[in-house]
Amino acid sequence: MDAKTDAWVEQYGDILYRYALARVKNEAAAEDLVQETFAAALRGSFASRSSEQTWLIGILKHKIVDYFRASSRTVSLDALLEGPDPLEAAFGERKEWKESPQKWRGVPEKGSELGALRDVLENCLSGLPERMREIFLMREVDEAETEELCKVFSLTPTNLWVLLHRARFQLKKCLEKNWFR
Amino acid sequence: MLKCNKASRLISEALDRRLSLRERLPLRIHLFLCGMCAAYRQELRALRGLLKIWNKKVAESLPALPQESRERIKTRLREASS
């Protein structure tokens, strides 16, 4: 059993750690998440539908959602949903776009093509309210589903979807201002 | 008739849930007729793709699991299973 555990840590430790660290930006927390992932994996059973790595990363993603739930518990999401809706403001009286969306050209498809867009994207992300950014990235990067996010953050599905749409809209505008077009 | 404000909401929600048939058909028709909403859909899809490759890129450029941490994890896992 120990040999298997050690082998797992050797084989998957790096990839899990890097994923966790990219998401939580804290080395101690990332290490804990990796350890919890292995511990949970040892308790569970491997469904052979996916690869071992995919399965482990799946466990890690759930742990990451738990991590964000635990941190900054006091921040209310209501504020993010109150106030004038930026999306309503994008449409005129006839409910058509005030400013026409344009298809983005030259969207990178690989990490190696990102270049300076990486910095622009990170700046735009940091412009989102913290809690909104966290939930948005859990949806987009960790692929957390509606049910899990609503349960963990006490949101109705509708409110979650409004939150995600606002995040997307704000990012889109920021990226258009600073990169595309 | 589906207008752009509602269509844009459905375009975003389609990224988060399965739209019902009653939602999908009017949206598809609207997208066929409305270049602006079709562009919006492309933008949101492109954004999703971008975020995935961005995260991968960030992770790849981070350091590996430090040796100390590696040993710590192994020890803790051994303790837990004993």
Side-chain angles (χ1 to χ4, degrees):
Chain A
M1 190 50 153
D2 282 353
K4 162 131 195 161
T5 314
D6 286 3
W8 261 11
V9 177
E10 285 305 311
Q11 191 176 358
Y12 302 115
D14 283 338
I15 195 159
L16 290 177
Y17 180 70
R18 284 180 169 125
Y19 187 100
L21 190 55
R23 297 289 293 113
V24 306
K25 304 191 199 307
N26 177 306
E27 281 142 7
E31 185 185 319
D32 283 343
L33 286 166
V34 171
Q35 198 214 309
E36 284 169 31
T37 297
F38 282 127
L42 288 168
R43 287 193 303 267
S45 57
F46 173 39
S48 59
R49 247 171 288 125
S50 57
S51 72
E52 243 180 7
Q53 181 173 300
T54 306
W55 174 62
L56 286 167
I57 290 188
I59 297 173
L60 175 60
K61 284 177 177 180
H62 288 300
K63 298 285 176 193
I64 287 172
V65 173
D66 282 339
Y67 171 85
F68 282 114
R69 173 182 52 85
S71 67
S72 65
R73 218 166 305 160
T74 52
V75 177
S76 155
L77 287 162
D78 295 333
L80 297 174
L81 294 159
E82 278 164 12
D85 185 355
L87 281 153
E88 279 301 303
F91 301 95
E93 261 181 32
R94 284 170 31 216
K95 308 299 178 195
E96 288 173 1
W97 291 97
K98 279 184 189 162
E99 281 175 44
S100 173
Q102 307 283 341
K103 282 188 183 171
W104 289 350
R105 295 182 197 284
V107 182
E109 289 176 10
K110 290 184 290 201
S112 51
E113 295 167 13
L114 271 173
L117 177 52
R118 178 182 162 172
D119 289 324
V120 174
L121 179 56
E122 286 172 10
N123 276 329
C124 287
L125 280 166
S126 64
L128 292 175
E130 187 177 357
R131 213 56 167 143
M132 180 187 272
R133 177 178 64 248
E134 284 175 357
I135 292 174
F136 175 66
L137 289 177
M138 277 182 267
R139 173 73 197 119
E140 294 298 309
V141 171
D142 305 322
E143 296 171 323
E145 296 289 352
T146 294
E147 200 183 326
E148 184 177 11
L149 288 171
C150 287
K151 186 170 160 210
V152 166
F153 297 99
S154 303
L155 287 165
T156 63
T158 305
N159 282 346
L160 172 68
W161 297 329
V162 166
L163 202 76
L164 293 171
H165 193 191
R166 287 190 187 184
R168 289 177 182 128
F169 189 69
Q170 189 175 326
L171 275 173
K172 164 198 125 82
K173 288 208 304 189
C174 182
L175 285 168
E176 281 168 3
K177 187 166 169 215
N178 298 287
W179 188 266
F180 293 109
R181 224 188 284 161
Chain B
M1 265 290 290
L2 197 58
K3 298 273 168 67
C4 296
N5 63 335
K6 292 223 166 83
S8 72
R9 184 176 56 81
L10 286 173
I11 287 166
S12 179
E13 285 183 24
L15 293 170
D16 302 317
R17 66 178 177 90
R18 191 179 261 127
L19 299 184
S20 69
L21 202 62
R22 288 179 61 189
E23 291 169 317
R24 245 181 291 146
L25 286 175
L27 178 61
R28 204 164 277 177
I29 292 168
H30 182 90
L31 288 169
F32 182 70
L33 297 168
C34 179
M36 291 188 283
C37 285
Y40 189 57
R41 187 169 77 144
Q42 186 265 359
E43 289 172 342
L44 293 196
R45 283 174 163 185
L47 178 59
R48 169 163 282 186
L50 205 53
L51 286 159
K52 291 218 157 75
I53 64 170
W54 165 74
N55 185 70
K56 202 155 173 267
K57 179 84 177 160
V58 170
E60 278 165 14
S61 58
L62 289 170
L65 183 62
Q67 192 55 32
E68 222 183 85
S69 306
R70 200 180 296 261
E71 295 309 316
R72 223 177 352 242
I73 290 171
K74 285 181 189 172
T75 305
R76 291 216 184 103
L77 289 173
R78 265 182 241 134
E79 283 168 3
S81 65
S82 60

